Amino acid sequence: TGERVRAVVNIGIGGSDLGPNMAVEALRDHTDRSMTYRFVSNVDGADIAEATRDLDPATTLFIVASKTFGTIETLTNARTARDWLLAGLNDEAAVTRHFVAVSTAEAKVREFGIDPANMFGFWDWVGGRYSMDSAIGLSLMIAIGPDAFREMLSGFHDIDEHFRTAPFERNVPVLMGLLGVWYATFMGAQTKAILPYSHHLSKLAAYLQQLEMESNGKSIDIDGDPVTYDTGEIVWGTPGTNGQHAYYQLLHQGTRLVPADFIGFARPTDPMPGHHDLLMANFIAQTEALAFGTTRDEVEASGVPAHQVAARTFAGNHPTSMIMAPALTPRTLGQLIAAYEHEVFTKSVIWHIDAFDQWGVELGKSLALQVLDELRADDDPGAGSHDPSTLGLIRRYRRMREPSRSPEER
């Protein structure tokens, strides 16, 4: 339309969404605040509807991020975005001016209506969960600018070189990986908490969930044999201090072993008076409490009523790792993500599994396509097409989606 782009909407899923989405939020203070940045991943129509509800088609750019340009969730959202754009501008040529692609599949990009000149390619061997610093990060580069993006790449390179050259006893990703194997395989820990004391890292745990769980959630080793020990960790977490008022009780006094990574920064992104020292006091105090707890003698000496002494005694000895950097910048974010990438790889080598496949994801996707055809068919799928439970769910859904049916019929 000739107007300046005011909104960028990234359409992708998995690695084509989680990394850029996390990084744009992490580096919010480095973005152009006059712009709007949104991410659409869920095939639930509410996602694309909410992302476009208050946008102007004339000033919106869509980035369709899909390595194969065949991911059904991404293409469904992209087609809906295309329909929204055409309804607003009433010009078929608008697709070539308001859509770009990040992909390796030029023919499919052209078929969609995107000019291949506006396709940003990358190597087909780059896995989605390791792709944030490739062309998949286009939305991030638009948000923070090319100079800051290069700074982030320098951070990745810092840790790449450290991982490649540092002796194991001083190699941070190796030590992180060894700790992960120790807690998961030898100590029986099932989960790992990611606890960033930074509001801007609110999406870090979701990003690391895919990095860890899709990479190391394997029960077959690289020789094709079943593993005989626990692999992978269930990753979860939220920013401090919110989590302290939600689940830290279990970390301190529960019966489960939960290793935790605490991540903090010496300087705030927003220097509001009185806030950052309080935030970091909690950061430091929580790790001290988890490590050392309080003894019965200390509790009794504090004057606690006798009937509360046992409940207010903390055993301590809960494993934590503290990562503290001067400030959350593009470079430190690159360093942080690269450290976790190499940690995941280190664990996969020790566990003798392939961190770069994800066949478990493919099974559900292929079955979903079969079920989709059956949900849309006129005829009943019939006995034998699925197990009784799945067949019952399909039939019930088909009945319940008809608003004209009475509750009894549904």
Side-chain angles (χ1 to χ4, degrees):
T1 60
E3 297 185 51
R4 182 193 170 194
V5 170
R6 297 283 181 184
V8 176
V9 180
N10 186 90
I11 300 176
I13 198 166
S16 299
D17 166 78
L18 290 167
N21 195 351
M22 174 274 297
V24 167
E25 181 58 37
L27 301 176
R28 181 72 63 179
D29 271 13
H30 297 264
T31 65
D32 179 353
R33 295 291 186 138
S34 69
M35 296 274 290
T36 297
Y37 310 99
R38 294 191 179 154
F39 293 83
V40 175
S41 59
N42 200 328
V43 76
D44 183 343
D47 198 4
I48 186 70
E50 291 297 332
T52 57
R53 189 177 302 280
D54 59 348
L55 300 184
D56 179 357
T59 59
T60 300
L61 173 70
F62 290 98
I63 300 172
V64 184
S66 174
K67 182 165 70 172
T68 63
F69 223 76
T71 307
I72 190 168
E73 298 96 333
T74 298
L75 290 185
T76 298
N77 281 322
R79 293 185 188 107
T80 300
R82 182 176 61 188
D83 292 343
W84 174 85
L85 182 80
L86 294 176
L89 298 181
N90 196 28
D91 179 5
E92 289 288 338
V95 175
T96 62
R97 297 193 296 268
H98 289 262
F99 275 79
V100 301
V102 181
S103 181
T104 62
E106 182 177 328
K108 292 181 179 179
V109 167
R110 182 186 291 108
E111 181 182 349
F112 181 88
I114 297 174
D115 185 344
N118 294 328
M119 185 186 92
F120 296 80
F122 58 101
W123 300 284
D124 61 4
W125 46 261
V126 175
R129 54 193 176 274
Y130 300 95
S131 67
M132 188 186 88
D133 47 345
S134 72
I136 287 293
L138 176 62
S139 56
L140 171 62
M141 190 180 73
I142 293 172
I144 64 175
D147 290 342
F149 193 84
R150 291 189 192 97
E151 183 186 339
M152 184 191 73
L153 294 181
S154 295
F156 274 91
H157 182 68
D158 292 340
I159 300 301
D160 288 347
E161 287 301 297
H162 168 76
F163 181 64
R164 188 177 67 86
T165 62
F168 282 178
E169 64 271 17
R170 289 189 285 110
N171 193 306
V172 173
V174 168
L175 294 173
M176 292 168 67
L178 289 171
L179 285 171
V181 171
W182 173 251
Y183 293 132
T185 304
F186 293 92
M187 299 298 293
Q190 297 294 307
T191 78
K192 176 181 180 178
I194 302 296
L195 308 174
Y197 277 63
S198 166
H199 176 73
H200 287 306
L201 287 179
S202 61
K203 298 180 178 180
L204 178 64
Y207 171 75
L208 294 179
Q209 278 177 347
Q210 187 199 21
L211 181 63
E212 168 65 38
M213 296 169 72
E214 199 168 85
S215 296
N216 287 339
K218 310 291 169 58
S219 56
I220 302 297
D221 69 19
I222 58 176
D223 297 320
D225 299 319
V227 299
T228 57
Y229 39 82
D230 284 342
T231 67
E233 297 166 292
I234 299 169
V235 175
W236 59 281
T238 57
T241 56
N242 296 3
Q244 293 175 198
H245 296 268
Y247 50 80
Y248 276 41
Q249 168 62 38
L250 185 147
L251 301 185
H252 284 289
Q253 290 187 306
T255 59
R256 300 182 185 277
L257 177 68
V258 183
D261 285 358
F262 282 72
I263 303 165
F265 302 93
R267 297 192 296 273
T269 54
D270 295 284
M272 304 295 241
H275 282 253
H276 198 65
D277 285 347
L278 177 59
L279 175 72
M280 294 306 289
N282 278 275
F283 169 79
I284 294 168
Q286 289 294 330
T287 54
E288 181 181 22
L290 285 165
F292 300 105
T294 55
T295 66
R296 187 180 185 91
D297 290 344
E298 289 170 332
V299 175
E300 290 175 340
S302 69
V304 167
H307 70 278
Q308 291 184 0
V309 169
R312 296 177 70 166
T313 299
F314 294 74
N317 199 32
H318 298 289
T320 62
S321 296
M322 295 181 69
I323 300 171
M324 187 160 59
L328 179 54
T329 66
R331 190 168 198 133
T332 55
L333 181 66
Q335 292 170 338
L336 182 66
I337 299 307
Y340 276 109
E341 287 183 347
H342 292 306
E343 177 206 9
V344 166
F345 173 70
T346 298
K347 289 185 288 192
S348 76
V349 171
I350 297 171
W351 283 325
H352 199 55
I353 57 178
D354 187 347
F356 304 103
D357 66 26
Q358 57 278 336
W359 298 115
V361 179
E362 303 302 323
L363 174 60
K365 288 163 65 174
S366 62
L367 285 174
L369 293 175
Q370 177 187 342
V371 172
L372 179 63
D373 289 339
E374 292 164 344
L375 294 181
R376 293 174 173 173
D378 294 330
D379 299 331
D380 183 88
S385 58
H386 294 280
D387 64 90
S389 174
T390 302
L391 184 60
L393 285 171
I394 292 171
R395 288 170 171 168
R396 179 173 288 270
Y397 171 79
R398 285 163 59 112
R399 292 196 304 270
M400 292 180 69
R401 71 181 173 186
E402 300 299 334
S404 60
R405 289 179 177 266
S406 68
E408 292 77 14
E409 291 177 310
R410 295 176 201 171

